[in-house]
Amino acid sequence: MDVDRLTTVIEDFNTIFIRLPSVRKFNFSTLSVLHTLDRRGPIRLTDLLATEQLKQPALTSLVAKLEQDGLLQRRPDPTDGRASLISLTRSGRQIVRSRHAHRVAKLTRLVDQLTPEERAVLAGSVDVLNRLTELAEETP
Amino acid sequence: MDVDRLTTVIEDFNTIFIRLPSVRKFNFSTLSVLHTLDRRGPIRLTDLLATEQLKQPALTSLVAKLEQDGLLQRRPDPTDGRASLISLTRSGRQIVRSRHAHRVAKLTRLVDQLTPEERAVLAGSVDVLNRLTELAEETP
DNA sequence: GCACTTACATCGAAAATTGATATAGTCGCC
DNA sequence: GGCGACTATATCAATTTTCGATGTAAGTGC
């Protein structure tokens, strides 16, 4: 099992997977925040901070801007008066879904060109890839 | 073959694959430029522009800064007096390699926790993933 | 050798990000 | 039930990044 080569292949695959012909121009920080909110549901700013590569003031101002733009909403945390819970609005979720849909379309076009055997291999790897992600979340 | 789920799994995997505990603080644009230069060798600014999500003036100033910092070098293009060929210096390549090494180490720690069967599936998928990347480069 | 295009640079303004610091709520303890 | 330490988020000024508009100089076609 050549992990070095696996790493290289994923790195290279990502250069085509991540970049999308984007309708609206969001920077990387914004897209990452929207994605995290979509997965992690209502979350406090501090917890969101842990997954994003931003300092707290930058995240505060980004969240404020996205709230202005109606992509997310903040509700007071009922269990902690200092905090608020941030979650996507319908419109924010729409953006994440739309980007996802574009990726699915792009990937479908590629997968269609694979042989049936290759497709089977790829399909079989989905659970393993998912397992890797789970392990990463558990592993310190 | 559920491409939708494949897409989701890769998106989620990437949240742990991309982010690294970085020694030096480079932003996403910088890392992307360094990575592209490492793969695509000496390249003109305009061609580099195609893969990066920046406008030309931003890339010009980023390249100028990275040249100052000794991470890349510019040599005149012998075949075109207007252009110059940009390539990584040893020091620039060092950064890309170091980040790659961190990913390999991180991924190794995860792969070690898989069963032999899971590892075999993953190893088998490397070529297919690579094929997908090639197809993406060919596909318009 | 003259218009036209292409490759890159320059410049001022707008946006994003940061470090330092402030504010305000919470918790443990007596 | 109030004091001190801690935590969550906000604010502010300075820096960095990015952009749009435009310039310059080298190549290209006729």
Side-chain angles (χ1 to χ4, degrees):
Chain A
M1 173 69 186
D2 186 346
V3 180
D4 193 308
R5 175 155 150 74
L6 174 64
T7 304
T8 302
V9 168
I10 299 174
E11 283 171 351
D12 290 346
F13 175 75
N14 275 339
T15 65
I16 63 101
F17 184 74
I18 294 177
R19 297 158 221 263
L20 291 175
S22 54
V23 184
R24 272 167 86 177
K25 28 69 184 161
F26 294 111
N27 61 29
F28 184 69
S29 305
T30 302
L31 292 171
S32 179
V33 164
L34 294 178
H35 185 270
T36 304
L37 288 176
D38 186 53
R39 310 290 156 147
R40 303 257 197 293
I43 186 179
R44 345 166 119 207
L45 200 144
T46 307
D47 295 334
L48 182 56
L49 195 56
T51 64
E52 308 304 314
Q53 307 204 321
L54 286 173
K55 302 296 175 188
Q56 180 261 315
L59 186 54
T60 295
S61 86
L62 177 53
V63 165
K65 190 168 92 62
L66 294 176
E67 190 179 26
Q68 289 279 335
D69 294 349
L71 302 186
L72 58 79
Q73 62 205 10
R74 271 187 287 195
R75 319 217 329 100
D77 184 340
T79 73
D80 189 338
R82 297 164 301 175
S84 45
L85 294 175
I86 306 167
S87 55
L88 289 186
T89 58
R90 176 178 300 278
S91 160
R93 196 162 7 253
Q94 165 83 33
I95 286 165
V96 178
R97 297 287 153 87
S98 151
R99 289 183 62 86
H100 175 78
H102 276 97
R103 289 210 176 92
V104 172
K106 185 172 184 175
L107 213 43
T108 299
R109 251 179 285 127
L110 300 176
V111 166
D112 282 349
Q113 300 177 63
L114 295 177
T115 66
E117 294 74 27
E118 288 171 327
R119 270 199 290 279
V121 168
L122 199 58
S125 72
V126 167
D127 286 341
V128 179
L129 210 52
N130 197 44
R131 179 102 186 85
L132 274 183
T133 307
E134 287 171 5
L135 285 170
E137 280 156 5
E138 297 161 15
T139 305
Chain B
M1 174 70 185
D2 187 347
V3 179
D4 193 308
R5 176 156 150 73
L6 174 64
T7 303
T8 302
V9 168
I10 298 175
E11 282 171 352
D12 289 347
F13 175 74
N14 275 338
T15 66
I16 62 100
F17 184 75
I18 295 178
R19 296 159 222 265
L20 292 174
S22 54
V23 183
R24 272 166 89 180
K25 28 68 185 160
F26 294 110
N27 60 29
F28 184 69
S29 304
T30 302
L31 293 171
S32 179
V33 164
L34 294 178
H35 185 271
T36 304
L37 288 176
D38 186 52
R39 308 293 156 148
R40 302 259 199 293
I43 186 179
R44 341 166 121 207
L45 200 144
T46 307
D47 295 334
L48 181 56
L49 195 57
T51 65
E52 308 306 311
Q53 306 204 321
L54 286 172
K55 301 299 175 186
Q56 180 260 314
L59 186 55
T60 293
S61 87
L62 177 52
V63 165
K65 190 168 92 63
L66 294 177
E67 189 180 26
Q68 289 279 336
D69 294 350
L71 302 186
L72 58 80
Q73 62 205 9
R74 271 187 286 194
R75 320 213 330 100
D77 184 339
T79 73
D80 188 339
R82 298 164 300 176
S84 44
L85 294 175
I86 305 167
S87 55
L88 290 186
T89 58
R90 177 178 299 278
S91 161
R93 197 163 5 256
Q94 166 82 34
I95 287 165
V96 177
R97 299 285 153 87
S98 151
R99 291 182 61 87
H100 176 77
H102 276 98
R103 288 211 177 92
V104 172
K106 185 172 185 177
L107 212 43
T108 299
R109 253 179 283 127
L110 300 176
V111 167
D112 283 349
Q113 300 177 64
L114 295 177
T115 65
E117 293 75 25
E118 288 171 328
R119 269 199 290 280
V121 168
L122 198 58
S125 71
V126 167
D127 286 341
V128 179
L129 211 52
N130 197 44
R131 180 101 187 84
L132 274 184
T133 307
E134 288 171 4
L135 284 171
E137 281 156 4
E138 296 162 16
T139 305

